[in-house]
Amino acid sequence: MTAPSTYGLSTQARNLQWLLTDLVEEVPGVNSVAVVSSDGLLLLSSDPATGAAETGRPAGPAKGPRGASADLATIVSGLGSLTTGAAALMECGSVKQTMVAMEHGSVFVMAISDGSLLGVHATPDCDMSVVAYHMALFVGRAGHVLTPEVRSELRQSMEKTP
């Protein structure tokens, strides 16, 4: 496996990339993962084509919403906005997790403490409780690390990626 370049990144940013890679590699059924800032910008991605984290899986051509982390980031941001608005209208507090089960896959969205979102696209036969559990672990470990400085650093590293 060829790791993405982490040259010049802080320890916190490298640790977040490692956590994301670990989530993709260790959880059966996970296709792609994206971390999106509260303003909808992609911060971390499991898609090697976007350069944020190498998963050991073939990169291949982008497959649209079925696999590309940039598309997943757009979907995650939209679902996050929609569910936050719904929770506000229903006066139900903040949204903790959203899950959309489809015929050929699932999308999970989980809030991170700073307003960022973790999104996972998984296969239809994944164990949803295992995916949710590992997402909660990621959120617990990443929430305190996603400071404004680290978010800015991650955004800049995504912009530099060809």
Side-chain angles (χ1 to χ4, degrees):
M1 170 180 1
T2 306
S5 173
T6 58
Y7 179 76
L9 291 181
S10 67
T11 302
Q12 293 89 350
R14 287 193 312 268
N15 286 343
L16 287 171
Q17 288 179 334
W18 178 84
L19 285 171
L20 185 104
T21 300
D22 190 55
L23 176 65
V24 175
E25 289 179 349
E26 298 300 320
V27 182
V30 170
N31 289 329
S32 60
V33 180
V35 175
V36 182
S37 67
S38 59
D39 55 356
L41 296 174
L42 181 62
L43 298 177
L44 282 172
S45 165
S46 65
D47 186 358
T50 61
E54 178 69 49
T55 63
R57 296 180 183 168
K63 296 185 289 181
R66 293 189 184 153
S69 294
D71 290 339
L72 178 61
T74 303
I75 293 164
V76 167
S77 182
L79 284 172
S81 294
L82 179 65
T83 55
T84 298
L89 283 172
M90 300 172 89
E91 299 178 354
C92 292
S94 62
V95 177
K96 302 296 181 197
Q97 182 176 351
T98 303
M99 196 274 298
V100 179
M102 299 164 282
E103 185 177 353
H104 299 290
S106 298
V107 174
F108 301 81
V109 180
M110 192 172 285
I112 300 176
S113 64
D114 70 333
S116 297
L117 299 167
L118 170 65
V120 172
H121 172 241
T123 61
D125 60 342
C126 73
D127 186 331
M128 292 181 188
S129 61
V130 171
V131 173
Y133 172 76
H134 283 277
M135 288 178 70
L137 288 177
F138 180 95
V139 166
R141 293 172 181 157
H144 70 282
V145 176
L146 272 172
T147 63
E149 295 81 18
V150 172
R151 285 193 306 271
S152 177
E153 180 181 2
L154 291 170
R155 278 188 204 140
Q156 288 174 2
S157 73
M158 292 301 289
E159 290 170 1
K160 291 178 185 176
T161 304

